[in-house]
Amino acid sequence: MPRECVDSLGGMREGKPSCQRHADCSIGLVSRFAPPLRTRTLALSLALIALAATACDKLETRALPLDLLRARITGGEFRNASLETIERDFLTTAAQASLFEIEASRIALARGGSKAVRRYAEVTLRDRVSVDTDLEQLASSVGVMLPSRLSDDFQARLGVLAQLTGIEFDRAYARNVGVLAQQQALEAFERAANESGERVQRFAAAQLPALREHLEQGRRLASEIDRTNMADHGTNVG
């Protein structure tokens, strides 16, 4: 190696070559004494893999916040915070629907013009009183206070029924109680139903078969009332 290059190496150790003329020699010396690029890349990759493995080991032994939250919810802690609103809304809706059907069916027993309407009212009254009793017990067990009076919407619908008689009452009862109220109740129970869920969700799931059957009975009642009304109307016209 030329003397000048040796001097250049000494300058390079201080951060720059001793002269501009031997800058190329400095670059050559760096390449000569530095590890090959492939060797350095491999060493860096191995270091990163080792670091990642260490991090994974630490993560596996440390409980994640989500796991902790799930464990606390499953264990009962924060249960009211996570389910209170859902349970309260469902139980309130179910209680309102049940109360409306009970009051409307009582009116139907007194004002119903057809035997089919009175029979449906009897079944509805019996079933809803039973469900309402279960709802009260369930609501009490989860700390939910059920409403003691109808909402404004249900009260208005009940007021309309109370003003009707004869075939007009039968048709309104079949449509509003036999179909519409049953559909609304079924939808509320379906939203809350979960056979593997909490007590309220299991209760909702258990009621679905009876609710679906009662809705089908209500639809048949409405169809029967409509056919009877059309037949009576045709007879009067003739």
Side-chain angles (χ1 to χ4, degrees), residues 16-218:
K16 59 182 180 177
S18 58
C19 65
Q20 182 63 36
R21 185 166 61 88
H22 293 290
D24 294 336
C25 292
S26 300
I27 295 173
L29 287 170
V30 171
S31 301
R32 178 178 178 183
F33 288 101
L37 179 59
R38 181 175 301 176
T39 302
R40 284 182 293 164
T41 302
L42 178 59
L44 180 59
S45 299
L46 292 175
L48 289 174
I49 292 173
L51 180 61
T54 303
C56 289
D57 291 339
K58 292 181 178 179
L59 285 176
E60 290 176 355
T61 58
R62 184 182 62 188
L64 296 175
L66 181 59
D67 295 333
L68 288 174
L69 180 60
R70 185 181 296 111
R72 294 167 79 176
I73 291 175
T74 303
E77 191 173 354
F78 300 140
R79 177 189 174 279
N80 290 336
S82 62
L83 294 176
E84 181 180 359
T85 300
I86 297 174
E87 290 178 345
R88 184 177 63 250
D89 290 347
F90 163 69
L91 291 171
T92 299
T93 300
Q96 285 282 338
S98 180
L99 185 58
F100 170 71
E101 292 180 45
I102 289 172
E103 295 301 322
S105 296
R106 284 174 177 166
I107 297 175
L109 291 176
R111 290 176 175 257
S114 72
K115 292 181 180 180
V117 167
R118 290 193 294 272
R119 282 197 303 268
Y120 187 85
E122 289 175 357
V123 173
T124 300
L125 189 59
R126 182 183 65 246
D127 291 350
R128 291 300 168 266
V129 168
S130 177
V131 171
D132 196 56
T133 301
D134 293 338
L135 275 174
E136 289 179 358
Q137 295 175 353
L138 182 61
S140 177
S141 70
V142 296
V144 175
M145 180 70 69
L146 295 181
S148 58
R149 63 181 299 274
L150 288 172
S151 65
D152 292 341
D153 177 62
F154 279 127
Q155 192 66 50
R157 290 162 63 179
L158 193 65
V160 171
L161 285 174
Q163 297 175 4
L164 302 174
T165 58
I167 189 63
E168 294 298 327
F169 175 87
D170 291 350
R171 183 165 58 245
Y173 175 83
R175 291 177 178 176
N176 283 276
V177 180
V179 179
L180 181 58
Q182 301 305 318
Q183 287 177 335
Q184 293 173 336
L186 179 59
E187 290 171 359
F189 275 77
E190 285 178 336
R191 287 194 298 269
N194 184 348
E195 294 181 352
S196 303
E198 297 290 331
R199 184 184 307 174
V200 173
Q201 296 170 307
R202 295 196 304 270
F203 170 80
Q207 304 303 314
L208 293 180
L211 289 171
R212 288 169 180 150
E213 175 60 27
H214 205 57
L215 173 57
E216 289 304 314
Q217 293 174 357

